[in-house]
Every structure is written in structure tokens, then in C-alpha cells.
Amino acid sequence: GTMVLSILSGCSSAFEDNTASDSPGESIATEAPLGANGGPVKEGAMPGTNVLHISEKNEYPTVDCQKNTEFYMVPLNIYDRLVECEVVDGTAVIVPSLAKSWDISDDGLIYTFHLRDDVNFHNGNKFTADDVVYTIERMMNPDTAALNTDFFSMIKGANARLNGEADHVEGAVTLDDYTVEITLEVPFAPFLANLATPSCSIYNREATEAAGDQFGIEPSLTIGTGPFQLSDWVLNDKVTLVRNDDYFKGAASLDAIEIYQVPDENTQKLMYENGELDIVDLSSSSSQLGYFLNNDNYKDNLVTGPEAGCYFYAFNQNMEPTNDVRVRKAISMAIDRQTILDQMYSGAGHVVNSMLPDGVLGSYDAQEIPYDPEGAKALLEEAGYGNGCELEIYQQTDNPDALAINQVVQSMLSEVGIHVTIKQMDDAAYFAERREGKIGMTRASWKADFNDPDNFLYTFFSERNAKVRSNNHTNTEVFQWLEDARAMVDEEERMALYQKIDTTVVQEDATVLPLFQMDHIVVVQDWVKAFHVAWNGWTDVSYYTVSLEK
């Protein structure tokens, strides 16, 4: 991922408000749009009646998903992955994609992928095993400066390549044109689920190397295998995707997708009502939730599903006063999470008490964290703060959604004697200090990049991540359990250990305060057919199956 994040770059929250700055109206495309085989798009390829119109609030920094940790909509539509995660009979499962089948060795170390031989890239190049190896090599090449190296870091020799200690990734090899063998350093149970993430999209060696630093930015040089291809990109205005007629799963129904940049949520609503937008994701237009939920005219136009993610507050255990577990628990007890959900998000979700939200593998019925202001005061007294204490809540400057919720929490904490200052920082300063473990209490959200508890728990609470996520968790037992769980083959035993880890970090150590899991609510026009929210609840979805009946 999901979701800019208040705690880490990674899967973004649908309810975050992020900004980017570029010169209005500057066109990125410098050549005519490309057709499915690398030639110009045919005249008349985008009739208005079969073009899907959607909106995004923020400009994309790039659609190279090795260098992008938040904006996955375009990558999900222009690239493919070896495997995909799809909902089958109500359960998210791994299904074949560019890999038609795979074998796993008994020790869980060697994955042999048998690839399709009928796939072409948008430029007409045949997809082969070499492209898979190239994709892994590019991600782990230190010169790439990729942001998503964790998704391939478990492959044998990947970290050596990333650290400049090797000139290739030892564990990624081609056996023939359509067979790839990937060897892991140690068994990693979530590996297949991990490969279904947008970050593991497969790139064409020839086209990507030729594009250089313009890959993911210049439409004519950004090549994938997906059902749509990047045609045109005008900064702060519109991104256009056109259908790939040669798509190996069959051509999409839509001729094109036009993605308008519309930062203002009320403008999104007006454009929808005027028929200018076919779909508005209310997860990224939260101020309009109440309007659509309470309007009987739209009750049949709402498509819903759970978001496989949660909001939470993270505490820095190296900073006063949250270095005291009693203070962390007092803060948790002083925040009325249900009231925040009801007042700010029209109750479109439910309070959670775990970092493993419903719908994610390993989720369970966690013990309730009570709303108990009097109990919070008693804990503060016990911790030596009977006369109150000062607390800073950190956030990025251009994030009104974060500011709104932080102000509510500021008021709630004042009732128990905790005097909150909201510290706003520009993006560069915020992320620089976070990497150094110096960000204090902060509101965050996390959506599942892949369907496994490792995606939530290892990401925040492992020894390698605790500092860079600025929680500075120090529980060495948790560190070891997280490493042990990654190598377990027995699924039932592994899930039991993850639940133990979650109970420890949330209930006992109070490293974080889970807030709520949102419902994913999308309003669609009457003529939009076969639209489904993704299993993970991202606002970013593939529109391959969508059709329009006007």
C-alpha cells in the first residue's frame, strides 16, 4: 500500500489528505499516446460514452511503484504481477496471473514459477522470465533508490545487492524463457501474498532501461502488461489510460479511464451530481460521507466493503511522557474512539482493539480497551503526573484530516490533565525525524499491502523497524517472535503466535492505540456495472472488470 501517512510511507489510508506541488497544466506526455503494440492510439479510441471518469485528490509523484508507496491506482491498471489476490467466495485468495502455476520446496525456501507464454508488454515485447529477474534486480539495485525494497528483501542475496556487496541477486534466476526460480534466505510464509502487491509489478527490461529516470513519469516510456496503458498525463489536471487490446486475459470493456485531479471534496460531489464523475470514493472524500449516506436518492448507488486496515495512534517510547507505559495506557483510556468515529466519519466503521483488523488473516476477538477517564487519571497519578503533564502530537502540515482528529483528541486529553500541543511539520522534516526515531505521538493508518499479519506487525514492531517508525519499541521477546513467525510452516501455530504478539504490543506494552476500522464506501452512477471494492479496501483498484451501460 491501501493510503500522506502520518506514521510511515507504505500503504496509504483512504482517509488521508495529502498534497503535492507541481506547475498547473504542465503536460508530462511529449509524444502521441501509444497503442497496444507501441504505435499511436487509433483515432476514435476514446468515445465519451465508454470512458470511465474518476478523480484523485492529489498529484502522483510517479507511477513507478518501486518508487511510490502511496498511489497504486495507475500501477494496478497498467502492470501485472506474478500472482494476484482476489476475493473468491468471500475470502481473499492467491490466484495465478503472469505465473500460471508454481511449486514450493518442502523446506519453504525455493519457489519455482511457471510463466505464461502468451503475454506481451504494451510495446509489443514478449514477457519472459528475464523480465521477472530484471524487476527484482532493479528494485534491489542501490542506484534505483527504490522505496519498496522490503517486498524482495527476503530473497537470497537481495540485501547484499542493496548494500552494494554483490552485483546481482543470487536467489533470482531464470531456468528457461518461461521458468523462474526464486530462493529465499529463510522460509517466509507470506511470500506469495507479498508478491501480489502493486510494488511487485513486473517490468520489461528493455523498455524500462531505455526509459531511465523517466519511467513512471513519461507516458510513452512507461510500459507494462496490464489491461490499460498510460496514454497522457497533464500535471494537476488529468491522467488518461487507454485500453490494451492485446491484454492476455482479454480486452477490457472500457475504452479508457480519465483520472481528474480534484482536491476539493465538495467539488467531487458536485461533479458526480452533474454526471462528470462516474465514481467517487467516499473514503477519500470523507466530508461528503454524511451527505451520501443520509440521502435516500443514493441508497442504491453505494458500493461498500470493509477496509482491511485501521487508524491508530503510535507512541514514542523514547520521549516523555510516553516513555512510561502507564501514561500510554492513560492516554488510551482517555480517548473516546466511538465518539470520534461517529462525529468525524458518520459512524462508517467500527472501533478496533487490535492491529489485525477484520478481513486480515489472523484477526481475532481482542480484549476491549475501555474508555475510562477516571481510570486514566488514576494511572497518571500513579506515574507521577497527578498535576498533569505536557504532550506533543506530531503531524504533517498539509493534513487537515489529521489536524481535525488531533484537535478532538487534544480536547479529550485535557479532561484528564494532559495538555496537548499539536506540532505541525513539513513533509521533509517530518519524515527525516521519523527515520531517526524522533517523532512523538502521531496519528496514523495502515492498510494491508498483502493479506498476512506480518504486514501489520513486522512493519511496525520488529527490531529493524521500531526506530524508523518512531515507536522505539524495545520488547526483545516480540522481536524474536516476529522473526520466528516468518519461518513457520504450520499456519495454525503461526496465527496463534501473531495473536500473542498483537496482544503484547497493544494490550500489555500499549505501544499503539488502535482506533477504528473504516467501511469502504463508494458512490457510483447508475450506469456503472461490475464495480467492486478491493479485498484490502484500498481506494486504488483495478477497473478491468468495470463496464458502462449508458
Side-chain angles (χ1 to χ4, degrees):
T2 291
M3 316 261 233
V4 202
L5 293 180
S6 298
I7 183 66
L8 76 159
S9 52
C11 176
S12 68
S13 165
F15 285 85
E16 297 294 343
D17 184 3
N18 313 311
T19 58
S21 59
D22 286 296
S23 300
E26 179 183 351
S27 176
I28 293 183
T30 58
E31 300 179 13
L34 293 180
N37 293 311
V41 176
K42 295 178 181 179
E43 185 177 354
M46 292 186 290
T49 56
N50 203 29
V51 176
L52 183 73
H53 301 94
I54 59 177
S55 64
E56 289 276 15
K57 291 175 67 174
N58 307 294
E59 185 61 83
Y60 306 131
T62 175
V63 296
D64 176 356
C65 49
Q66 292 190 357
K67 299 182 178 183
N68 171 17
T69 63
E70 297 175 58
F71 303 103
Y72 289 152
M73 197 286 288
V74 173
L76 283 168
N77 285 279
I78 67 173
Y79 309 122
D80 289 295
R81 291 135 292 277
L82 290 175
V83 297
E84 305 289 353
C85 187
E86 296 180 357
V87 175
V88 178
D89 296 329
T91 302
V93 297
I94 299 300
V95 298
S97 185
L98 293 177
K100 61 184 180 182
S101 63
W102 51 87
D103 305 308
I104 307 172
S105 63
D106 291 339
D107 59 8
L109 287 175
I110 302 174
Y111 289 70
T112 305
F113 292 94
H114 308 284
L115 309 179
R116 297 184 65 121
D117 61 3
D118 59 349
V119 180
N120 292 328
F121 285 93
H122 297 151
N123 61 355
N125 287 359
K126 290 283 290 184
F127 159 70
T128 69
D130 178 67
D131 296 306
V132 177
V133 172
Y134 167 73
T135 298
I136 297 170
E137 293 279 1
R138 181 182 187 268
M139 178 85 88
M140 305 312 296
N141 185 338
D143 293 338
T144 302
L147 301 178
N148 286 318
T149 56
D150 278 356
F151 290 104
F152 291 143
S153 64
M154 70 291 297
I155 299 174
K156 186 175 183 179
N159 285 320
R161 179 71 181 104
L162 183 64
N163 296 331
E165 300 166 0
D167 60 4
H168 70 286
V169 178
E170 180 183 351
V173 297
T174 61
L175 300 185
D176 58 44
D177 282 351
Y178 296 103
T179 311
V180 174
E181 183 179 88
I182 298 178
T183 303
L184 309 184
E185 291 279 6
V186 296
F188 180 59
F191 184 60
L192 283 177
N194 177 86
L195 292 181
T197 64
S199 302
C200 296
S201 299
I202 302 301
Y203 295 163
N204 176 237
R205 178 190 292 272
E206 179 182 340
T208 309
E209 287 184 340
D213 61 7
Q214 291 302 297
F215 182 82
I217 296 176
E218 163 57 49
S220 65
L221 301 178
T222 303
I223 303 300
T225 59
F228 299 93
Q229 60 191 89
L230 187 60
S231 169
D232 191 51
W233 184 352
V234 180
L235 287 174
N236 298 306
D237 181 16
K238 183 175 65 175
V239 175
T240 302
L241 311 181
V242 296
R243 182 177 59 218
N244 172 14
D245 290 331
D246 293 337
Y247 189 50
F248 68 95
K249 296 179 184 178
S253 171
L254 297 171
D255 289 322
I257 303 171
E258 293 185 338
I259 309 154
Y260 295 95
Q261 187 181 2
V262 186
D264 182 70
E265 296 177 2
N266 190 58
T267 301
Q268 291 183 16
K269 180 194 74 173
L270 294 174
M271 291 178 68
Y272 174 85
E273 292 184 317
N274 291 335
E276 298 172 76
L277 291 177
D278 298 308
I279 296 174
V280 173
D281 194 312
L282 297 176
S283 298
S284 59
S285 190
S286 56
S287 67
Q288 305 305 313
L289 263 173
Y291 176 82
F292 284 103
L293 288 176
N294 299 318
N295 192 327
D296 287 342
N297 292 330
Y298 297 115
K299 63 181 181 180
D300 295 329
N301 296 85
L302 300 177
V303 180
T304 65
E307 288 186 348
C310 63
Y311 275 84
F312 57 94
Y313 272 102
F315 304 114
N316 191 326
Q317 297 185 28
N318 279 357
M319 298 175 69
E320 293 184 355
T322 53
N323 58 340
D324 190 317
V325 66
R326 294 167 296 187
V327 174
R328 299 195 297 272
K329 289 184 176 181
I331 293 171
S332 300
M333 295 165 66
I335 297 176
D336 186 347
R337 297 172 292 163
Q338 186 64 52
T339 293
I340 295 173
L341 179 64
D342 291 342
Q343 292 184 355
M344 294 192 62
Y345 302 109
S346 301
H350 62 275
V351 169
V352 294
N353 301 289
S354 165
M355 285 295 287
L356 299 177
D358 295 344
V360 171
L361 188 66
S363 61
Y364 67 108
D365 187 14
Q367 179 181 340
E368 181 183 1
I369 301 169
Y371 170 55
D372 183 3
E374 294 305 314
K377 292 177 183 178
L379 280 175
L380 290 171
E381 179 78 34
E382 182 182 327
Y385 294 109
N387 295 323
C389 62
E390 304 292 327
L391 173 70
E392 287 187 324
I393 296 180
Y394 287 65
Q395 70 161 82
Q396 292 154 271
T397 301
D398 296 320
N399 196 335
D401 187 67
L403 180 60
I405 193 172
N406 286 337
Q407 288 172 336
V408 173
V409 169
Q410 181 183 45
S411 176
M412 290 177 174
L413 293 182
S414 70
E415 297 297 317
V416 299
I418 300 175
H419 307 291
V420 172
T421 300
I422 299 173
K423 184 174 182 178
Q424 300 192 55
M425 307 171 67
D426 65 67
D427 289 0
Y430 181 93
F431 288 114
E433 292 209 14
R434 192 197 67 185
R435 284 192 297 271
E436 296 299 318
K438 297 178 180 179
I439 290 294
M441 178 177 169
T442 188
R443 188 214 61 161
S445 63
W446 187 253
K447 302 287 185 66
D449 281 313
F450 56 93
N451 190 17
D452 196 275
D454 180 89
N455 186 216
F456 286 82
L457 299 178
Y458 195 93
T459 299
F460 290 95
F461 310 114
S462 61
E463 186 172 15
R464 64 177 292 190
N465 289 329
K467 177 181 177 180
V468 298
R469 306 308 187 195
S470 265
N471 61 64
N472 290 299
H473 190 60
T474 59
N475 191 322
T476 55
E477 280 190 313
V478 168
F479 294 160
Q480 188 58 54
W481 293 340
L482 285 167
E483 299 298 338
D484 293 344
R486 286 188 147 195
M488 286 182 176
V489 176
D490 186 295
E491 191 81 339
E492 184 175 346
E493 181 183 358
R494 194 166 72 92
M495 292 305 109
L497 181 54
Y498 276 125
Q499 292 169 7
K500 181 179 180 180
I501 294 168
D502 183 79
T503 299
T504 301
V505 297
V506 175
Q507 306 285 344
E508 298 175 15
D509 295 343
T511 306
V512 294
L513 169 64
L515 295 174
F516 30 77
Q517 178 177 2
M518 304 304 303
D519 294 334
H520 192 173
I521 304 174
V522 180
V523 59
V524 305
Q525 300 284 8
D526 293 336
W527 52 79
V528 175
K529 307 300 178 183
F531 173 82
H532 306 283
V533 297
W535 71 270
N536 46 30
W538 285 334
T539 53
D540 303 317
V541 299
S542 170
Y543 291 97
Y544 172 59
T545 63
V546 171
S547 62
L548 303 178
E549 296 180 6
K550 292 189 177 181

